[in-house]
Amino acid sequence: MGDQLSLWSDQLEESAALRESARARATDQAARLADHEKAHAEFSGALAAKRAGLLEIGTRRREIEEELVRSEQRRGLLAELSRAHHERRGLLRDGLVAAGLVQPDFLGDRLRALPGWERSLDLYLGELADAALLAPGQDPLVLAGELSRSGATGTLMRPLPDGVAGIPVADPAVVSTLADALGLEPELAAALPPAYLVASAEAALRLAAAHPGIAFLSRDRLWARGGALHVQGAQTQPGLLARQREAAEIANRLPSLRAELAE
């Protein structure tokens, strides 16, 4: 009987040792499984982030490609408009040369528009942007007669003395004088009709009524003088100043777009 009890005791100890070993292995396997699950979760998260990043890159690439196409198309349109304007001015230039003005100089080539006001300034200036500037002492009536006989039509502008000043308008809505907005020398500024840039269309109407002989321009492609209100639609093709500004913006933007696309 004692031998049997001893055998059972040994078996119980052996079973306990086996259970303890199994429990240890289970704990170790559970820890390993947790580590694997953690690594899998981290990998899945990294993979999802990578996929999202690739999707974002692909989306941005398409956006850049589309913007490049639009920019190139717009640049082509601006170039075509500039060519057409150059041809129209060329006819006037030929007439001026035939009339005796050897090297015609145009007002539009002297202008440096206040940023953001190009459209309104184009609207106000109109054909004045192609006005031929006369040299000091040159008789405008003689040249006008020759120009008329040559069959050409155009505008002649003679600079006025520096002392000829525009009519001052003191009002909080006034943003700038026309001369400052165009970067003109005093003698050319004096040759233009008096005009001011103002903060709003409402201010343009109010000041035009109060100062009938002066033009007031707003950024809304609108200007008023006296009771007349001149308006330009948003879809109108850009004039000289707006074309210059937009062409410069596109030229500055294209290299960065191409560089970003290459990356």
Side-chain angles (χ1 to χ4, degrees):
M1 186 65 177
D3 292 341
Q4 186 66 38
L5 289 174
S6 177
L7 178 62
W8 287 347
S9 177
D10 291 341
Q11 289 176 345
L12 287 173
E13 289 178 359
E14 184 178 352
S15 296
L18 290 173
R19 285 196 304 274
E20 187 61 32
S21 176
R23 187 180 296 110
R25 287 197 303 272
T27 301
D28 181 61
Q29 289 174 352
R32 291 184 180 182
L33 179 60
D35 290 341
H36 286 310
E37 289 176 343
K38 180 180 178 182
H40 181 268
E42 291 175 350
F43 175 77
S44 297
L47 182 59
K50 178 67 71 175
R51 286 173 175 168
L54 290 173
L55 180 62
E56 183 179 352
I57 290 172
T59 300
R60 179 58 185 151
R61 179 184 179 86
R62 287 190 296 273
E63 291 174 351
I64 295 173
E65 290 172 340
E66 291 170 0
E67 188 174 353
L68 278 170
V69 170
R70 288 194 301 269
S71 297
E72 292 289 3
Q73 290 175 342
R74 185 63 178 175
R75 185 165 69 167
L77 174 62
L78 294 173
E80 184 59 35
L81 292 173
S82 294
R83 280 192 294 270
H85 175 248
H86 183 74
E87 290 175 2
R88 292 193 302 272
R89 185 184 277 186
L91 296 175
L92 175 58
R93 185 187 300 274
D94 293 342
L96 291 168
V97 171
L101 195 59
V102 180
Q103 292 183 324
D105 186 13
F106 296 97
L107 177 66
D109 297 332
R110 301 280 192 93
L111 305 179
R112 298 294 180 270
L114 185 66
W117 288 82
E118 292 86 358
R119 288 267 189 172
S120 293
L121 291 168
D122 279 329
L123 171 64
Y124 174 70
L125 290 172
E127 294 181 357
L128 281 177
D130 288 323
L133 303 178
L134 303 185
Q138 192 163 21
D139 191 331
L141 292 179
V142 172
L143 185 59
E146 293 294 333
L147 190 63
S148 177
R149 283 188 287 275
S150 72
T153 300
T155 302
L156 305 177
M157 181 172 291
R158 57 193 180 105
L160 297 179
D162 295 359
V164 179
I167 304 171
V169 174
D171 190 280
V174 171
V175 174
S176 170
T177 64
L178 180 66
D180 289 341
L182 294 174
L184 288 177
E185 310 90 86
E187 62 273 15
L188 286 178
L192 288 174
Y196 288 86
L197 278 58
V198 294
S200 67
E202 291 77 12
L205 289 178
R206 174 176 59 82
L207 289 169
H211 306 275
I214 304 175
F216 295 91
L217 292 65
S218 80
R219 295 182 72 159
D220 309 313
R221 298 179 303 278
L222 173 153
W223 68 275
R225 182 163 53 202
L229 181 64
H230 304 261
V231 183
Q232 183 185 73
Q235 301 304 317
T236 305
Q237 296 290 10
L240 174 65
L241 299 174
R243 287 199 307 272
Q244 290 174 345
R245 184 213 65 197
E246 191 175 354
E249 289 176 349
I250 291 175
N252 290 333
R253 178 68 175 144
L254 284 176
S256 62
L257 284 174
R258 294 193 181 106
E260 187 178 354
L261 185 63
E263 291 176 2

